[in-house]
Amino acid sequence: MKRRQHQHLLESLVQSTAKQQGDFTKTAELATELLCQNLAVSLVSVWTFSADQQTQTLVAQFGSMMLQDIHRPKLLQACPRYVHELKTLRHIDAGNTLTDPRLSELAECYFIPRHINSSLDIAIRINGCLEGVLCIERAQFTPHWHDSEIHLACQMADQLALTLATKHSYDKEERLSLFRCATEQSRQISMLINLHTEKVEYVNQAHSEITGMPREQIIGANIRELAFFKQHAQLAEQTLAQIFRGEIAKGEAQFSRADGSRYWLTYVLSQFITDRGNHYALVSCEENTDEHNYKSELERLAWRCGLTGLHNRTHFNRVLERTNKGLLLLVDLVGFKRFNDTYGHENGDSLLIEIARRLKHFSEINKATEIARVGSDEFAVLLTDDNAVYDLDYFSTRLYQHLAMPILIGREQVEPKPALAVVDIASVASLFAPLTCADIAVQYAKKKKGTAIQVFNSTLLSAFKEDAQIERDLHSAIRGRQFELYYQPLRDLEQNTYIGAEALIRWHHPKRGVLFPASFIDIAEQSGMINSIGSWVLEAACRQLNLWQHHNADMTMHVNVSARQFFSGNLFEQVWQLLTRYRLKPKTLILEITETELMGDIRHATLLCQELAELGVGLAIDDFGTGYSSMRYLKQFPISKLKIDRSFISDLTVSRESREIVSAIIAMASALNISLTAEGVETLEQEAFLAKSFCHQAQGYLYSPALREPEFAQFILSAKSPSVLTH
């Protein structure tokens, strides 16, 4: 190539827009095109190396072989000698790529598949550091590369290096600009201190906004002129010593502005060394005055309830720990969560405030030692007057009546439903924590009908110990498979046939024999074991239903689901897995849950019921009529069945009120197109009334108690059901 042509190529590259703008990719594309067009070569490519010299990336290529999908190895560790040669030499001029030892690592994987027989590789360096390579390749053998070709390629590589350096510079300036903008816009104080001169060399605008001191007064000032050293000299010197030792210093301090106002700062200081070896400290500060004041307010209110103004449980416990006689009264509001959900949290707060006011009034009259809100809807009163003699019945009844009086909230009159526990501290102080005894007693009080007052006594303690033993035994029962399902038949009153069963759990206790659910389900609920038991019941029932359906028995299976299990979060997934595993027919598995439990979280219950219904699962409301359902809520839920509570059936033939209630439930179910089952049917008169009133189904001792599976199968066969149930 003539020298003039050589110069023209370089000028074309140097004067290109891409080169002037520092666009490395487009400059590389132009360089490969110029070299390929003006040298008798097959392919020209430009590669860049990663900062850690581990990988290379193709930036641009041009030539007749560029469409071939074969590239040089991405990982540089695959060709260490080649990389070493590039670092050591200016270029590698190989007339024969198959025999040149410098390229032996690339022969098999690249040159031979590409049919490249000669190559010229020129290192792209910036300040002596290898940044990439310019590769010029020919299909034919080249005895030796001409000096003019090598000279041109080297100059092109130099121009690529300059462009890459320009790009790095632009990128660095852009990052620096972004960093400066971000620092200036930051609401945190950023400061740079030269540790050699101990002078502030930079501080952002946030310093002026927080401290009120112009940064012109700070930049260039000695660090001992800073407020930190003036207002916290000892702490500042300790912090500076930490920095000089290379440690990170963190802390919090309060400062005063020139106008006397005070503020808090959290700070972090760390040392770093620049590329030139200068030692600096980076100071980052954030104002946390509001957080600090809030924390102080929390500490001030640590012993009080912010809503009612009463002391809280923590404070009450501290007082109770020093008390060994007197009375402890614990008040719990029954159904408060439901009230909150129905009337809203604002009205719920109004109810709590009014209950607290009544307790204050009561406590003032009776000279209470302490009164506190010890839970969401729980209040405690401590009476330790040595001169007072308390008549427990009269005293607790008077307090209960005082709390149960109607309250006007907004335009609506509300009747609180308190549950009251009374504990004689002297009788339990050496055995149990009084508040624990009160918690136990109030749970029993909540179960009472009418006046919900419970005095903690030895009988209650025995019952508590009994429950504790049941709870321990339940753990063994779950592990030891001591449960069994019994099945109570469901009779169709119109067709006079048995169409299904309700699965009822029995516990084969090793010492107490067969236990019914009433003796352990509540304890399982309170202890959280109900989820494990409920999961077992559900699977066992589905397995049995699968066996019945396998033998062509047209049966439905009713399974009770507890509130805790219903709202556990995994009921849908469990039911879906069981339906899939046992291939149950749609609408043959019916889950029963009480209406009171459904009302616990209406939004979640509605969504879950809809999801279960979409799976083909029937949903029944158990013990209907005893809870808080309304037409509005019933319409929300995809309910397929109502089960009339046995309390209405038991006196059906002697109570006009029960007959009217049952008739109303039947009429309502008919209007909503919901199936009905009457529970606890024991007489032919009850059955006759239900059949005449068009109740669909019934279950009870009139037909059969709950039976083990073999006896249940025999019962169905002996009843000559259209279904055929065999083992």
Side-chain angles (χ1 to χ4, degrees), residues 312-326:
N312 58 20
R313 189 183 187 100
T314 304
H315 175 83
F316 191 80
N317 274 329
R318 290 167 64 92
V319 175
L320 204 55
E321 287 172 0
R322 301 190 297 268
T323 305
N324 53 24
K325 61 181 179 178

Side-chain angles (χ1 to χ4, degrees), residues 354-394:
E354 175 57 22
I355 293 296
R357 189 195 65 78
R358 293 181 180 186
L359 284 170
K360 287 178 186 176
H361 177 69
F362 178 85
S363 300
E364 289 170 0
I365 294 175
N366 294 279
K367 299 179 181 179
T369 306
E370 196 66 67
I371 175 173
R373 181 186 177 194
V374 294
S376 165
D377 57 342
E378 286 187 333
F379 299 86
V381 179
L382 182 62
L383 298 160
T384 58
D385 189 349
D386 293 334
N387 300 319
V389 178
Y390 301 108
D391 182 335
L392 285 184
D393 290 338
Y394 170 76

Side-chain angles (χ1 to χ4, degrees), residues 383-639:
L383 298 160
T384 58
D385 189 349
D386 293 334
N387 300 319
V389 178
Y390 301 108
D391 182 335
L392 285 184
D393 290 338
Y394 170 76
F395 187 79
S396 57
T397 302
R398 189 175 62 174
L399 174 58
Y400 182 88
Q401 292 172 345
H402 181 58
L403 295 175
M405 291 175 60
I407 297 174
L408 188 65
I409 296 180
R411 297 181 179 180
E412 191 158 351
Q413 184 169 283
V414 177
E415 293 185 0
K417 297 179 180 179
L420 178 61
V422 184
V423 178
D424 180 359
I425 296 174
S427 67
V428 301
S430 60
L431 301 172
F432 303 100
L435 201 52
T436 301
C437 297
D439 284 331
I440 295 169
V442 84
Q443 296 305 316
Y444 284 90
K446 289 163 71 174
K447 297 175 185 177
K448 288 187 173 182
K449 295 183 178 179
T451 304
I453 301 175
Q454 179 65 58
V455 178
F456 188 85
N457 51 37
S458 57
T459 303
L460 199 66
L461 181 58
S462 298
F464 174 71
K465 290 180 177 179
E466 179 78 8
D467 289 350
Q469 184 60 50
I470 290 288
E471 182 177 337
R472 288 192 292 271
D473 291 347
L474 273 174
H475 285 286
S476 300
I478 293 171
R479 293 193 302 268
R481 300 181 180 180
Q482 297 174 6
F483 298 116
E484 182 182 7
L485 286 188
Y486 281 46
Y487 305 93
Q488 185 172 38
L490 273 72
R491 185 171 180 82
D492 188 297
L493 296 179
E494 182 179 355
Q495 300 178 10
N496 290 322
T497 58
Y498 293 100
I499 48 83
E502 179 178 355
L504 298 168
I505 191 172
R506 299 291 185 263
W507 178 7
H508 293 286
H509 195 285
K511 295 181 179 178
R512 306 185 188 194
V514 177
L515 298 183
F516 285 68
S519 63
F520 63 87
I521 287 298
D522 285 347
I523 299 169
E525 280 269 14
Q526 295 167 16
S527 64
M529 285 184 280
I530 194 65
N531 283 343
S532 298
I533 295 173
S535 296
W536 178 86
V537 169
L538 190 56
E539 173 147 13
C542 289
R543 189 187 309 115
Q544 184 59 57
L545 181 58
N546 170 263
L547 291 174
W548 289 344
Q549 293 180 357
H550 182 69
H551 292 93
N552 300 316
D554 188 15
M555 302 287 284
T556 61
M557 179 73 79
H558 287 239
V559 182
N560 290 284
V561 177
S562 71
R564 189 183 286 262
Q565 185 182 6
F566 188 80
F567 293 110
S568 64
N570 62 355
L571 179 63
F572 174 84
E573 182 178 353
Q574 183 185 7
V575 171
W576 179 80
Q577 290 176 347
L578 291 174
L579 291 176
T580 304
R581 183 184 309 156
Y582 295 110
R583 302 180 182 275
L584 301 180
K585 296 178 182 178
K587 300 297 182 183
T588 56
L589 175 64
I590 299 173
L591 303 182
E592 296 185 10
I593 186 168
T594 67
E595 53 184 324
T596 304
E597 292 165 347
L598 279 177
M599 295 301 107
D601 187 340
I602 294 172
R603 182 179 300 177
H604 177 76
T606 303
L607 179 61
L608 179 56
C609 285
Q610 289 171 346
E611 291 176 337
L612 290 170
E614 289 172 1
L615 287 179
V617 175
L619 297 165
I621 295 184
D622 198 14
D623 302 336
F624 186 77
T626 61
Y628 303 89
S629 290
S630 68
M631 289 284 287
R632 176 165 65 92
Y633 290 130
L634 281 179
K635 288 166 66 178
Q636 278 184 227
F637 298 116
I639 299 301

Side-chain angles (χ1 to χ4, degrees), residues 12-85:
S12 298
L13 184 68
V14 172
Q15 296 175 5
S16 66
T17 303
K19 176 70 170 60
Q20 298 299 321
Q21 293 178 347
D23 189 330
F24 179 74
T25 300
K26 289 187 176 180
T27 303
E29 290 172 352
L30 178 59
T32 57
E33 182 178 354
L34 290 173
L35 286 171
C36 197
Q37 290 175 347
N38 290 275
L39 297 178
V41 295
S42 304
L43 183 68
V44 181
S45 59
V46 174
W47 299 74
T48 56
F49 293 174
S50 61
D52 58 6
Q53 301 280 299
Q54 296 295 313
T55 61
Q56 62 176 344
T57 304
L58 179 63
V59 178
Q61 63 176 347
F62 195 90
S64 59
M65 292 183 173
M66 63 183 295
L67 296 178
Q68 295 184 28
D69 191 22
I70 302 172
H71 298 288
R72 294 188 176 215
K74 180 179 179 62
L75 298 177
L76 293 175
Q77 61 187 16
C79 44
R81 178 174 181 179
Y82 169 73
V83 174
H84 176 74
E85 293 289 344

Side-chain angles (χ1 to χ4, degrees), residues 249-286:
K250 299 180 181 180
E252 180 184 55
Q254 188 181 44
F255 298 91
S256 297
R257 299 185 180 93
D259 61 4
S261 61
R262 303 180 70 81
Y263 61 98
W264 284 85
L265 289 179
T266 56
Y267 58 85
V268 179
L269 288 83
S270 58
Q271 183 185 155
F272 68 94
I273 304 173
T274 67
D275 293 340
R276 297 182 179 181
N278 295 321
H279 291 248
Y280 279 82
L282 172 62
V283 182
S284 298
C285 303
E286 184 175 9

Side-chain angles (χ1 to χ4, degrees), residues 170-188:
Y170 285 168
D171 291 345
K172 186 174 182 180
E173 288 180 4
E174 179 66 15
R175 288 195 297 270
L176 184 59
S177 177
L178 285 173
F179 174 75
R180 286 173 176 168
C181 289
T183 304
E184 285 300 318
Q185 295 296 322
S186 174
R187 300 180 64 181
Q188 296 182 345

